[in-house]
Amino acid sequence: MKLILVLTVTIKLAIVSATDTEWWKTALIYQIYPRSFKDSDGDGIGDLTGIKEKLPYLKSTGVDGIWLSPIYLSPMRDFGYDITDYKQIAPEYGTMKDFQELLKEARKLGLRVILDFVPNHTSNESDWFIRSARREPGYEDFYVWADGIVDPERPGEVLPPSNWMSHFRKSMWEYHPGRGQYYLHQFAIGQPDLNYRSQRVQAEMKGVLRFWLDLGVSGFRVDVINLLYEVDPKNYGGVFPDEPLSGNSDTDPDDHDHYHHIYTQDLDETYEVAYDWREVLNEYTEKHGEYKMILSEAYTSVLNTIRFYGNESRDGTIPFNFIFLGEINKNSTARDIKTTVDKWMTYMPHNKVANWVNGNHDQSRLASRQGPERGEEIGMTDGHVSWEDTKDPQACNTDDPINYWKKSRDPNRTPYHWDSSVFAGFTCGVAPWLPVADNYKEINLQAQLRTRRSHFNEYWPIQKTF
Ligand SMILES: *[C@@H]1O[C@H](CO)[C@@H](O)[C@H](O)[C@H]1NC(C)=O
Ligand SMILES: *[C@@H]1O[C@H](CO)[C@@H](O)[C@H](O)[C@H]1NC(C)=O
Ligand SMILES: *[C@@H]1O[C@H](CO)[C@@H](O)[C@H](O)[C@H]1NC(C)=O
Ligand SMILES: CC(=O)N[C@H]1CO[C@H](CO)[C@@H](O)[C@@H]1O
Ligand SMILES: [Ca+2]
Ligand SMILES: [Ca+2]
């Protein structure tokens, strides 16, 4: 829907002679947030058939592939990043048959399809979680369970096992009365974290990769990979140690940023799992004669990030380069941009391929962050979403109708502007799931295709010569 990822600085040209094992080195991948891209049946929610209809358009822009944000069965408490079943399609997005048709059509056009892999957590409605909560044999340790600690001030009462705070505010621990224990959730209460110290979890997740690779996808982008592990209480006298304060004065004690995350992210074991997944993809690269790509998402230091590339003995993932996201804004000059490019190139190991990320569904749109003339594709800016219309759990959890917008990711997830008709041509139904941004009459694809010197025609000139 918005993000364009350019692998290597030399944009195209090389692709002409690239073989099927080299394609990824020069690829442009277009991220689609399925819910907001194109609604084909009028229910106000974007879907797979909508995406399929737009593939010829995407092909004409010159992109090499698409990355779909999660399309799996989910109660949508975090809009698909809370998965009930990794091997089923969410009915509101379509059926497995729709997905296979989308894949077939993409292949025909020469577009690769990359799926989102969300390994850190499932939905609390997943069969695995329900079994684990019941302590069914084989599933007891699928998630991170722990007893509470006795409240020193109120004997008989229990407190969460540690002071860890979720990325969406408040405790990372939720009490489950059925099991009589707390479970860990780095994000929403409905997103329990899987336990990667369970060999069965590891095997199941490799099975998920194989399932989609067998269907013919070209790879994955891995969600919050650096959060797979939290410290093992075995190494801390049987307890989960509290995290120290970060000293960030813009936060309150319920905020994730109030603490310094030395026990809940970037642990060494994470890298082994990343390298293991690369091995699974290598099998399929051989089998299908097409390089299978694995990109990983981690908001962490450059040094931690580049470790995902692998080391002398093992091949790793392509870690998203978020330096542009963090360091470039409206005021940045060409010199700032060069410094940012140099930073990645300085740290990146030899013989690896660079990548450049400018946005995603968690960030304010590029045109809003860096100025309208630097926006992507058609230069869409963030929409306005009132408190009443707010859907993002990260914003809802603030319980603050005044300041919720500081946390909300809804403004950058409003529907795509196809044309100037009602709801910007996104849906033919009565209302889209999020309101369309006010400026769709001026900023939309159809208007820009008709205007020679439009944002769109300036943005894609290189690709359009192919
Ligand atoms: C899942 O969590 C939500 C809170 O996010 C809760 O309302 C719901 O009852 C839970 N469902 C199950 C099956 O545990
Ligand atoms: C490479 O990484 C793996 C996994 O973290 C580790 O076990 C191994 O020792 C590392 N090898 C080298 C040469 O650094
Ligand atoms: C850009 O510069 C202006 C003027 O110095 C300043 O007020 C503004 O905060 C800066 N914006 C960003 C995003 O740094
Ligand atoms: C950029 C991205 O994919 N962010 C996701 C990270 O993971 C959380 C929880 O799964 C999601 O809420 C974000 O959208
Ligand atoms: Ca729909
Ligand atoms: Ca985790």
Side-chain angles (χ1 to χ4, degrees), residues 363-409:
Q363 310 293 329
S364 180
R365 288 185 169 126
L366 198 62
S368 296
R369 258 183 300 128
Q370 294 192 13
E373 68 288 357
R374 291 180 178 177
E376 292 163 298
E377 191 170 354
I378 55 172
M380 271 179 72
T381 50
D382 293 342
H384 171 75
V385 182
S386 68
W387 170 247
E388 287 70 32
D389 285 338
T390 291
K391 302 277 188 334
D392 180 9
Q394 184 167 277
C396 295
N397 283 357
T398 61
D399 295 319
D400 183 345
I402 309 293
N403 293 306
Y404 71 96
W405 59 272
K406 292 183 187 160
K407 290 280 181 188
S408 185
R409 299 171 295 178

Side-chain angles (χ1 to χ4, degrees), residues 171-403:
S171 182
M172 217 186 258
W173 298 101
E174 178 72 8
Y175 187 71
H176 191 286
R179 172 140 167 165
Q181 277 190 310
Y182 285 85
Y183 66 86
L184 182 105
H185 59 92
Q186 290 249 14
F187 292 90
I189 290 170
Q191 289 168 301
D193 274 45
L194 286 163
N195 171 22
Y196 278 82
R197 295 202 175 87
S198 153
Q199 289 313 305
R200 273 199 65 195
V201 166
Q202 298 247 9
E204 287 283 357
M205 296 313 276
K206 284 183 191 161
V208 171
L209 296 175
R210 291 201 167 93
F211 177 85
W212 295 103
L213 287 163
D214 283 332
L215 285 174
V217 305
S218 298
F220 302 90
R221 123 46 246 210
V222 187
D223 190 55
V224 293
I225 196 166
N226 62 323
L227 308 183
L228 291 184
Y229 286 92
E230 299 74 29
V231 291
D232 190 340
K234 270 212 307 263
N235 303 325
Y236 294 86
V239 301
F240 288 92
D242 280 349
E243 288 191 323
L245 300 181
S246 64
N248 181 340
S249 56
D250 288 341
T251 61
D252 66 67
D254 283 343
D255 275 339
H256 186 254
D257 291 348
H258 199 67
Y259 305 88
H260 188 39
H261 305 293
I262 57 175
Y263 299 131
T264 54
Q265 62 183 46
D266 306 320
L267 302 192
D268 282 343
E269 292 119 300
T270 314
Y271 297 94
E272 310 232 358
V273 176
Y275 305 166
D276 287 349
W277 289 340
R278 179 64 257 169
E279 265 174 24
V280 174
L281 270 77
N282 286 349
E283 281 170 33
Y284 282 82
T285 298
E286 293 248 314
K287 200 150 117 190
H288 293 179
E290 177 202 25
Y291 185 83
K292 303 295 182 182
M293 181 186 234
I294 183 163
L295 298 147
S296 59
E297 178 205 39
Y299 288 95
T300 182
S301 67
V302 186
L303 284 176
N304 283 334
T305 304
I306 55 119
R307 273 181 79 186
F308 284 105
Y309 268 123
N311 62 24
E312 287 89 351
S313 48
R314 301 196 69 189
D315 197 10
T317 64
I318 303 165
F320 274 154
N321 167 5
F322 286 139
I323 302 183
F324 277 147
L325 277 186
E327 300 184 7
I328 300 297
N329 61 41
K330 284 189 176 130
N331 298 340
S332 301
T333 61
R335 182 195 296 260
D336 296 327
I337 293 171
K338 175 166 190 306
T339 305
T340 310
V341 169
D342 288 346
K343 184 164 169 188
W344 186 261
M345 298 312 277
T346 302
Y347 283 101
M348 190 177 76
H350 269 316
N351 304 321
K352 294 294 179 186
V353 174
N355 72 92
W356 314 95
V357 179
N358 260 316
N360 60 38
H361 59 278
D362 288 345
Q363 310 293 329
S364 180
R365 288 185 169 126
L366 198 62
S368 296
R369 258 183 300 128
Q370 294 192 13
E373 68 288 357
R374 291 180 178 177
E376 292 163 298
E377 191 170 354
I378 55 172
M380 271 179 72
T381 50
D382 293 342
H384 171 75
V385 182
S386 68
W387 170 247
E388 287 70 32
D389 285 338
T390 291
K391 302 277 188 334
D392 180 9
Q394 184 167 277
C396 295
N397 283 357
T398 61
D399 295 319
D400 183 345
I402 309 293
N403 293 306

Side-chain angles (χ1 to χ4, degrees), residues 149-159:
I149 52 179
V150 177
D151 186 341
E153 274 148 36
R154 287 172 302 165
E157 301 274 314
V158 286
L159 294 172

Side-chain angles (χ1 to χ4, degrees), residues 428-449:
C428 59
V430 292
W433 76 284
L434 277 178
V436 172
D438 294 341
N439 57 10
Y440 74 92
K441 290 227 157 106
E442 297 83 60
I443 299 175
N444 68 68
L445 180 65
Q446 190 187 53
Q448 296 191 12
L449 285 172

Side-chain angles (χ1 to χ4, degrees), residues 31-226:
Q31 179 191 6
I32 293 178
Y33 193 69
R35 211 173 176 80
S36 302
F37 192 63
K38 180 72 176 96
D39 174 21
S40 71
D41 60 2
D43 67 354
I45 297 171
D47 45 56
L48 296 175
T49 302
I51 297 171
K52 192 181 77 184
E53 279 169 18
K54 297 298 180 184
L55 289 177
Y57 157 67
L58 292 173
K59 178 65 185 173
S60 77
T61 66
V63 302
D64 300 292
I66 54 177
W67 146 33
L68 303 179
S69 277
I71 53 172
Y72 320 102
L73 187 65
S74 161
M76 301 288 168
R77 290 208 171 80
D78 191 21
F79 300 104
Y81 284 92
D82 49 329
I83 298 168
T84 306
D85 187 335
Y86 290 101
K87 299 179 185 171
Q88 280 191 58
I89 302 287
E92 60 210 295
Y93 295 157
T95 61
M96 190 58 86
K97 188 159 166 280
D98 294 333
F99 178 70
Q100 281 170 312
E101 278 170 15
L102 166 69
L103 260 185
K104 207 164 101 193
E105 188 64 22
R107 284 257 163 234
K108 217 158 72 192
L109 293 166
L111 289 169
R112 324 261 170 179
V113 176
I114 309 283
L115 292 183
D116 214 309
F117 183 49
V118 188
N120 180 65
H121 44 266
T122 66
S123 161
N124 63 340
E125 294 183 12
S126 97
D127 186 48
W128 294 348
F129 185 72
I130 293 165
R131 287 167 186 262
S132 191
R134 285 197 211 121
R135 295 181 199 261
E136 262 186 44
Y139 293 90
E140 301 101 317
D141 67 346
F142 255 50
Y143 294 82
V144 183
W145 294 100
D147 293 327
I149 52 179
V150 177
D151 186 341
E153 274 148 36
R154 287 172 302 165
E157 301 274 314
V158 286
L159 294 172
S162 67
N163 73 347
W164 300 354
M165 289 296 145
S166 116
H167 288 257
F168 291 167
R169 283 178 65 78
K170 305 199 179 139
S171 182
M172 217 186 258
W173 298 101
E174 178 72 8
Y175 187 71
H176 191 286
R179 172 140 167 165
Q181 277 190 310
Y182 285 85
Y183 66 86
L184 182 105
H185 59 92
Q186 290 249 14
F187 292 90
I189 290 170
Q191 289 168 301
D193 274 45
L194 286 163
N195 171 22
Y196 278 82
R197 295 202 175 87
S198 153
Q199 289 313 305
R200 273 199 65 195
V201 166
Q202 298 247 9
E204 287 283 357
M205 296 313 276
K206 284 183 191 161
V208 171
L209 296 175
R210 291 201 167 93
F211 177 85
W212 295 103
L213 287 163
D214 283 332
L215 285 174
V217 305
S218 298
F220 302 90
R221 123 46 246 210
V222 187
D223 190 55
V224 293
I225 196 166
N226 62 323

